[in-house]
Amino acid sequence: MSTNARSGSEMSVGPLGPIEYSGARRVGGPLLAIAGVEGVGWDEIARVRLPSGEVRHGLVLEVSGDVAIVEVLQGTSGIDPALVNVSFEGRPFDIPVGDGWLGRVWNGMGEPLDGGPPMLGRERRAVNGAPLNPSRRDVPSDPVFTGVSVIDALATLVRGQKLPVFSSAGLPHLDLAAQIAAQANVAGENFKVVVAGMGLTHADAAAIRDVLETRSAQGDLVLVLDTADDPVVQRVLTPRVALTIAEYLAFERDQHVLVVLADMTSYCEALREVSSARGEVPGRRAYPGYLYSDLASLYERCGRIRGHAGSITLIPVLTMPGGDITHPVPDLTGYITEGQIVLSPDVHAKGVYPPVDVLSTLSRLMRKGVGEGRTRADHMALAAQLIASFARARSARELADLIGAEALTETDRIYLDFEDAFLRDLVNQSSDESRSMEDTLKRAWNVASVLPERELTMMPRAMTAAYYTGNLREGEGGLGADNDPAPVRASPPMGDDHG
Amino acid sequence: MERVNGPLLEVAGLRGVAVLDVIDVGPLHVPAEVVSIQDGRLTAEAFEYTGGLRVGDGAVSHGRPLSARLGPGLLGGVFDGLLRRLEGGPTWLVPGGFGEMKSNASWPFRPALVELGADLAPGALLGTVTVGSNFEHRILVPPDAHGTVTQLAPAGTMGEDDVVAIIGGSPVTLCEEWPVRRARPARERLQPVAPLVTGQRVVDLFFPIAHGATAAVPGGFGTGKSMLLQQIVKWADAEVVVFVGCGERGNELADAMADLSALVDPTTGTSLRERTVVIANTSNMPVMARVASVYTGMTVAEYFRDMGYRVVVLADSTSRWAEALREFSSRSGELPAEEGYPASLSSSLAAFYERAARVRTLGGAEGSVTLIGAVSPGGGDMTEPVTSQTVRFVRCLWSLDRDLAYARHYPAVTWRHSFSLDGETIANWHASEGRLGWAEARARALALLAEADRLDSVVELVGVSALPAHERIVLLTGRLLREGVLQQSAMSERDAFCSPAKQTALLEMVLAVYDRCLALVDGGLPAAVVEEFDFTAVTRARDETGPDDADGVIRLRDEVLARIAEAS
Ligand SMILES: Nc1ncnc2c1ncn2[C@@H]1O[C@H](COP(=O)(O)OP(=O)(O)OP(=O)(O)O)[C@@H](O)[C@H]1O
Ligand SMILES: [Mg+2]
């Protein structure tokens, strides 16, 4: 864990290098018990040598008297306790750091998958990282543009934020994750992307490699891929390897880094499996009681640090088992992250991509990252208005389904049109289409303008005056309403962003 | 050291150690709390990462339980769960590299009028130091000291360890230590009388909290717990605020701190940071220090209470604290009860909430600690152990509702599952302040909200046109109450805080509109016509008037009523 500031405690490395112990007392699950050890520290990395010459790595889970319990990262299959040799490295699990990770594809432990040379480097960092002193954090306050309208307009991602994608089996969340990883940028500044896949099928892994090829070729991307047939203990390390690379790029090389972790549900399942092999007391749905803290130890690694130019923005992607948002994985994720992007089978069924459920989607840091000088002065109010109106449209739709559209008030019927326009003109786009912020905001205003101006109660009048493109329909405006028909206005020139 | 398994340590051969004493282990002096002792073997839980600790490493005892260092260096500071300073600390928190407990600052001291040779009891005033621009920090005889004063320091600049007085032969310094798990004593508990004004309408009007009372804020993720707590940090009418960020986000804390530095306390003219103590044990920081953090926060609050101040403690989130308790007990082999939580969960919660009170201090002053705790129920399930136990011990419940939050109705406090046991006390207080109609307006509004909810579910079945006109007006009023009174954006420049007078004016405006509309439909005007009136002036009044502009609201009300009269 001790990263940048090393703890300095020397562990079990003697003057003649590590001592090798032969034979294990016990093998079971991923665990080996080695007796007769001396000076072995907790959480050290162990080298496990098989008679075939194969070397595996392990972590010290417990030291008690002269016994060390070692968890073997690649599993213990094929290990004969009598014939195994184990030595201890005197340091926690760590990886070299440097720019050499960029433009390459690695497995979950940071070994090359692309036929290239292994990552070398003198500087190493423990993959567990260290907690960042909260008083050294800087408030996230600049946007990341994803080129995906529904996100950029309504749930803007902010540099240093953690914003997960909650999905269900069968929805295109990996496409969306890959699209964001391919398109995301911070308008002109250095930007790197680290994508960690956990428990992916080979087909999904290949698809992600494909979509991200250009970015990788430019040397802006690190791909860390753990596939479904890799050992589960390795899956637990995968996001840590990715985040350690990202921390180096962000806080030692001043880059803005986007980290995508997919699929966190596979990660949590691996953690559950490892925990049960360790014989720990299970919590909700048999996930370990420390699942919250464990997820936090990953997600909290994003952010900004005062005095550093770089940032880490994090998008964990997860599938909600059974589509259930109260399942521990999405639930505990939601308790740690700063909002969520929720994909919905209903929207998917309408043929809309990305199938985002706007009402349960929220970027909590959005207001810090948008507005004058960042996106445009009207952005925040417009987003709030669209979401509020969409909520009203949704209840009008439900009412219409129950009692028929004829029974709706005139205003409610307009809301139904608004809902259609919203999904068709703003949300829906193709998975290789990157839209500019100007384009997105223009679409957003066109959708808002389907409603009569008096319905835009959350918009300051100056903003409707500048951007509203609708006009009052026949027969609109009841008694007592502001009765002057709004003049038809041309949309102001786009790109005239106030910042 | 004989065994290391994550934070769980076993140590043999250390004598003179009691359960809950703190020991330091290994070359980096990782602090750990002793949880049990058997046959000379101590089991301890480490407060920091234990990587690299080995069998055979040494341990030394502090000889006392975990204690807070209480003194003038607290206000304006940011600390971890063990009350170590985070500001000025290292960027990465690794063992041996956490911040210091001690403050090196010094303050101007002024002695009180105390005669040498006098007999002083605990709580007696020895002098004051000025902290920040103008906070009067009172130095009292600590609860465990008493006797004859033989020496009192003259006016001058003093540091934390400088001796203020000699009492009963022992020195009393500017700073004192107190074991965090033990409540600081007071002379007696007093009944609550006055409300803690939070400036949040749904709280102050409908589910008010008294100084010295307790509230729980349960709600699923994203429903607005932290936001509501932070609004209270900013606006509560208290002299001292202690914010305990317990297992929550680092970004949130950075943000809150920036906000507090920027905001100016209207009564003292200084930055709000100066009245706040922040205890930050974020979710990625060591779990065991999370257990300590709520006790530490409470102890700090009691320390200021004893000076005669009104203090508010906000704990975000008590569920993370309970989870840390669970981790702690499951590792030390305790039998789990519900959902793996220890059977002692409910007594731990009760004991914690009981530390909030309005009291007569040992020195004879009145002081209070009001405690507001966020609760994060797993899966939003209000029947889970932490939520269901907490609800039993609090005087106010502000339940946050996911549907309201999704509809961006903030604060998402639901009027259906919230309560305040101090409504009557606070109604009396308002009456004594001349707001005679407060209780009646509150009761009418709550009844209208409940009726509107009932009608909403009827409408879902039969459509609005099937309702009689006066019921349609109730529905309309429900919406105006929700949008014009209950909703209050924390981001609004004018409406983030709302004074009691403006609160009442807004509520009375909606009730007046209700009465007028009801009269119209009773007079034969179709409800559909009334529904199409433009009520934006009603729903915008909260944002279009200043935070204390009750007269502005009354003017708007008269305009709206006049327009309704014209239109009908
Ligand atoms: N009073 C409010 N005014 C405006 N927006 C609010 C308010 N309360 C909540 N919100 C919105 O809801 C979001 C989530 O609120 P908050 O962070 O307080 O949730 P929480 O209940 O603490 O969630 P968690 O359990 O995940 O910490 C905020 O970022 C903000 O966008
Ligand atoms: Mg919160």
Side-chain angles (χ1 to χ4, degrees):
Chain A
M1 176 181 282
S2 43
T3 33
N4 308 38
R6 293 214 163 258
S7 70
S9 76
E10 289 124 53
M11 302 191 198
S12 60
V13 187
L16 303 174
I19 308 162
E20 205 171 60
Y21 299 93
S22 30
R25 177 187 281 181
R26 192 160 37 90
V27 187
L31 307 183
L32 281 182
I34 319 290
V37 301
E38 210 177 306
V40 173
W42 182 74
D43 207 24
E44 266 188 39
I45 187 156
R47 276 168 64 89
V48 179
R49 205 158 52 79
L50 275 56
S52 63
E54 182 191 347
V55 173
R56 299 186 191 175
H57 288 95
L59 295 174
V60 176
L61 283 193
E62 175 173 338
V63 287
S64 181
D66 70 346
V67 178
I69 310 288
V70 173
E71 179 173 72
V72 184
L73 304 181
Q74 296 88 344
T76 55
S77 69
I79 291 187
D80 176 345
L83 298 178
V84 70
N85 287 296
V86 180
S87 59
F88 297 90
E89 306 266 300
R91 53 186 168 84
F93 187 78
D94 59 6
I95 55 169
V97 288
D99 293 341
W101 294 102
L102 289 160
R104 304 275 314 273
V105 186
W106 312 87
N107 76 5
M109 285 178 60
E111 293 156 354
L113 274 186
D114 53 5
M119 175 68 191
L120 297 173
R122 259 182 329 117
E123 296 250 1
R124 303 183 72 86
R125 299 284 179 269
V127 298
N128 275 335
L132 176 56
N133 181 340
S135 74
R136 303 272 303 135
R137 280 187 190 267
D138 210 348
V139 182
S141 53
D142 304 282
V144 174
F145 302 106
T146 66
V148 177
S149 283
V150 61
I151 297 175
D152 289 349
L154 305 178
T156 315
L157 184 61
V158 181
R159 285 176 229 173
Q161 181 179 21
K162 38 197 176 299
L163 187 63
V165 174
F166 288 3
S167 185
S168 304
L171 298 185
H173 47 272
L174 287 180
D175 301 315
L176 180 62
Q179 182 177 12
I180 294 171
Q183 295 177 178
N185 67 85
V186 290
E189 285 186 69
N190 284 329
F191 194 74
K192 301 281 182 270
V193 179
V194 180
V195 175
M198 279 93 67
L200 296 183
T201 62
H202 284 272
D204 285 338
I208 288 180
R209 283 175 80 155
D210 242 30
V211 175
L212 296 176
E213 209 176 285
T214 318
R215 194 140 222 175
S216 183
Q218 288 163 349
D220 287 341
L221 178 85
V222 183
L223 255 180
V224 184
L225 294 176
D226 161 274
T227 45
D229 50 357
D230 282 329
V232 289
V233 186
Q234 172 180 314
R235 195 158 305 141
V236 174
L237 285 176
T238 305
R240 295 180 162 80
V241 168
L243 286 161
T244 304
I245 297 169
E247 273 177 355
Y248 171 82
L249 293 172
F251 303 129
E252 298 186 49
R253 309 279 299 161
D254 292 341
Q255 309 280 311
H256 294 293
V257 185
L258 173 72
V259 180
V260 177
L261 304 175
D263 178 326
M264 285 307 292
T265 307
S266 306
Y267 167 85
C268 293
E269 277 159 4
L271 197 71
R272 173 166 70 177
E273 197 174 325
V274 168
S275 161
S276 103
R278 289 175 181 180
E280 292 165 345
V281 182
R284 261 176 85 214
R285 302 227 194 166
Y287 287 93
Y290 53 77
L291 183 59
Y292 173 85
S293 299
D294 186 273
L295 288 174
S297 76
L298 301 176
Y299 299 157
E300 280 287 314
R301 288 173 79 172
C302 72
R304 295 170 59 201
I305 303 177
R306 267 189 279 132
H308 291 260
S311 64
I312 298 183
T313 309
L314 181 63
I315 302 191
V317 178
L318 57 88
T319 41
M320 303 183 279
D324 176 10
I325 201 169
T326 70
H327 182 279
V329 176
D331 189 50
L332 295 180
T333 296
Y335 272 123
I336 303 164
T337 52
E338 287 135 352
Q340 64 282 330
I341 295 166
V342 181
L343 305 190
S344 136
D346 293 345
V347 183
H348 184 58
K350 290 187 181 138
V352 173
Y353 172 91
V356 172
D357 176 35
V358 174
L359 296 185
S360 45
T361 291
L362 172 71
S363 162
R364 298 196 197 174
L365 304 186
M366 174 171 175
R367 79 199 141 91
K368 311 239 161 235
V370 303
E372 187 139 18
R374 299 200 163 83
T375 56
R376 210 171 65 188
D378 57 313
H379 188 165
M380 194 66 224
L382 175 61
Q385 178 67 65
L386 282 172
I387 290 166
S389 303
F390 191 74
R392 168 101 189 256
R394 178 67 62 81
S395 27
R397 174 74 65 197
E398 280 165 9
L399 206 56
D401 289 347
L402 276 169
I403 57 172
E406 330 68 66
L408 294 184
T409 63
E410 172 70 12
T411 311
D412 274 347
R413 276 199 291 275
I414 302 174
Y415 272 96
L416 298 185
D417 296 341
F418 166 82
E419 187 194 21
D420 294 339
F422 185 94
L423 292 175
R424 184 188 60 228
D425 300 336
L426 182 65
V427 179
N428 195 40
Q429 75 185 74
S430 90
S431 67
D432 57 3
E433 177 188 7
S434 181
R435 290 191 189 145
S436 70
M437 200 68 213
E438 286 72 34
D439 184 21
T440 290
L441 288 177
K442 180 174 181 175
R443 286 164 180 275
W445 268 109
N446 286 341
V447 169
S449 302
V450 170
L451 294 172
E453 190 171 351
R454 71 175 161 89
E455 289 298 310
L456 306 183
T457 55
M458 299 166 90
M459 295 302 303
R461 295 193 207 285
M463 289 180 185
T464 32
Y467 298 108
Y468 183 73
T469 63
N471 63 344
L472 210 65
R473 301 172 181 214
E474 292 288 314
E476 265 307 293
L479 274 167
D482 249 323
N483 256 335
D484 322 29
V488 188
R489 286 184 209 92
S491 153
M494 279 292 159
D496 121 70
D497 58 350
H498 301 240
Chain B
M1 183 107 60
E2 300 240 305
R3 175 167 174 238
V4 187
N5 178 354
L8 187 74
L9 310 172
E10 279 180 26
V11 177
L14 199 60
R15 260 168 245 290
V17 182
V19 168
L20 291 186
D21 276 2
V22 177
I23 59 174
D24 280 348
V25 294
L28 296 169
H29 304 285
V30 170
E33 195 172 43
V34 174
V35 293
S36 68
I37 305 175
Q38 200 183 357
D39 301 331
R41 268 173 94 91
L42 315 177
T43 303
E45 293 260 6
F47 286 117
E48 291 167 11
Y49 173 64
T50 55
L53 283 180
R54 304 178 281 200
V55 170
D57 278 346
V60 285
S61 170
H62 286 203
R64 52 158 193 205
L66 184 67
S67 300
R69 194 179 159 86
L70 303 168
L74 290 170
L75 277 184
V78 186
F79 304 86
D80 79 349
L82 305 191
L83 219 53
R84 294 179 291 198
R85 299 183 169 272
L86 286 169
E87 275 176 316
T91 301
W92 303 99
L93 300 173
V94 294
F98 280 76
E100 294 284 316
M101 287 207 178
K102 201 169 143 32
S103 156
N104 294 319
S106 51
W107 301 268
F109 172 78
R110 259 179 313 116
L113 285 174
V114 174
E115 272 185 43
L116 290 189
D119 236 7
L120 288 189
L125 184 68
L126 294 172
T128 57
V129 294
T130 306
V131 176
S133 13
N134 54 18
F135 184 85
E136 186 181 296
H137 187 102
R138 298 172 187 145
I139 308 297
L140 311 175
V141 177
D144 48 6
H146 62 90
T148 313
V149 204
T150 49
Q151 191 185 310
L152 184 68
T157 302
M158 283 190 143
E160 278 192 344
D161 290 327
D162 290 339
V163 175
V164 174
I166 302 222
I167 293 174
S170 316
V172 170
T173 59
L174 217 49
C175 231
E176 62 170 290
E177 306 249 352
W178 188 263
V180 297
R181 290 175 192 269
R182 217 166 92 211
R184 285 171 66 88
R187 196 181 291 172
E188 61 173 326
R189 291 176 86 99
L190 303 172
Q191 286 301 311
V193 282
L196 170 83
V197 176
T198 65
Q200 311 305 302
R201 284 185 293 272
V202 63
V203 168
D204 293 351
L205 282 175
F206 296 112
F207 308 105
I209 182 169
H211 277 288
T214 51
V217 189
F221 65 77
T223 49
K225 299 178 291 298
S226 305
M227 216 63 171
L228 182 57
L229 262 54
Q230 273 159 27
Q231 286 302 95
I232 297 175
V233 170
K234 289 176 195 162
W235 309 116
D237 67 330
E239 283 84 31
V240 176
V241 176
V242 180
F243 182 81
V244 186
C246 175
E248 291 289 315
R249 302 172 182 82
N251 278 341
E252 228 162 55
L253 266 161
D255 188 30
M257 247 111 68
D259 272 8
L260 287 179
S261 306
L263 283 170
V264 169
D265 185 338
T267 50
T268 62
T270 58
S271 127
L272 283 175
R273 257 310 272 284
E274 289 194 14
R275 69 162 197 183
T276 312
V277 181
V278 176
I279 296 178
N281 217 94
T282 53
S283 57
N284 55 338
M285 287 164 75
V287 175
M288 292 321 301
R290 228 188 264 169
V291 175
S293 65
V294 300
Y295 296 117
T296 309
M298 190 43 104
T299 305
V300 169
E302 287 169 347
Y303 174 66
F304 286 104
R305 171 203 73 187
D306 290 346
M307 295 175 204
Y309 289 121
R310 297 174 306 168
V311 187
V312 183
V313 179
L314 300 123
D316 189 8
S317 158
T318 60
S319 295
R320 304 302 163 220
W321 167 62
E323 281 169 9
L325 284 178
R326 171 170 71 181
E327 249 180 74
F328 179 101
S329 69
S330 92
R331 250 199 314 272
S332 42
E334 236 178 278
L335 269 188
E338 254 180 301
E339 287 195 19
Y341 286 100
S344 55
L345 175 69
S346 96
S347 60
S348 302
L349 281 168
F352 175 56
Y353 279 98
E354 269 317 286
R355 284 176 78 169
R358 182 168 160 257
V359 302
R360 169 95 42 225
T361 66
L362 294 180
E366 271 179 25
S368 63
V369 174
T370 309
L371 172 60
I372 301 170
V375 185
S376 317
D381 170 15
M382 299 289 176
T383 65
E384 62 87 41
V386 182
T387 316
S388 58
Q389 298 288 0
T390 302
V391 170
R392 296 168 48 213
F393 305 124
V394 292
R395 294 202 59 82
C396 300
L397 183 70
W398 305 329
S399 291
L400 300 183
D401 182 84
R402 181 159 279 165
D403 291 336
L404 288 178
Y406 278 176
R408 307 299 197 262
H409 172 116
Y410 297 124
V413 175
T414 156
W415 45 97
R416 268 159 263 165
H417 307 288
S418 300
F419 64 74
S420 165
L421 301 180
D422 291 322
E424 209 168 310
T425 308
I426 288 164
N428 291 337
W429 181 85
H430 277 291
S432 75
E433 295 276 302
R435 282 185 286 275
L436 293 169
W438 187 87
E440 198 211 322
R442 171 175 185 248
R444 279 188 80 196
L446 279 171
L448 279 165
L449 283 167
E451 179 67 358
D453 282 346
R454 189 185 68 80
L455 294 173
D456 261 327
S457 44
V458 173
V459 168
E460 271 175 29
L461 293 176
V462 299
V464 74
S465 45
L467 291 188
H470 69 273
E471 292 193 335
R472 290 174 68 160
I473 301 304
V474 171
L475 268 182
L476 171 72
T477 309
R479 178 171 77 80
L480 296 180
L481 280 171
R482 289 193 300 269
E483 291 179 14
V485 181
L486 291 174
Q487 289 184 14
Q488 185 175 7
S489 170
M491 270 73 120
S492 163
E493 228 159 84
R494 285 167 153 173
D495 197 37
F497 171 84
C498 181
S499 75
K502 182 179 166 189
Q503 294 181 4
T504 315
L506 283 167
L507 181 56
E508 283 172 349
M509 167 175 68
V510 173
L511 293 174
V513 167
Y514 168 66
D515 290 337
R516 185 64 52 91
C517 292
L518 199 59
L520 287 178
V521 296
D522 281 348
L525 196 68
V529 174
V530 178
E531 281 162 1
E532 291 291 313
F533 284 175
D534 184 8
F535 290 107
T536 39
V538 178
T539 50
R540 280 189 174 182
R542 56 184 162 93
D543 260 316
E544 282 178 358
T545 51
D548 191 20
D549 189 7
D551 294 340
V553 174
I554 291 167
R555 258 197 315 281
L556 283 170
R557 177 196 66 188
D558 293 343
E559 280 171 33
V560 172
L561 293 178
R563 271 218 275 156
I564 293 177
E566 246 170 66
S568 49

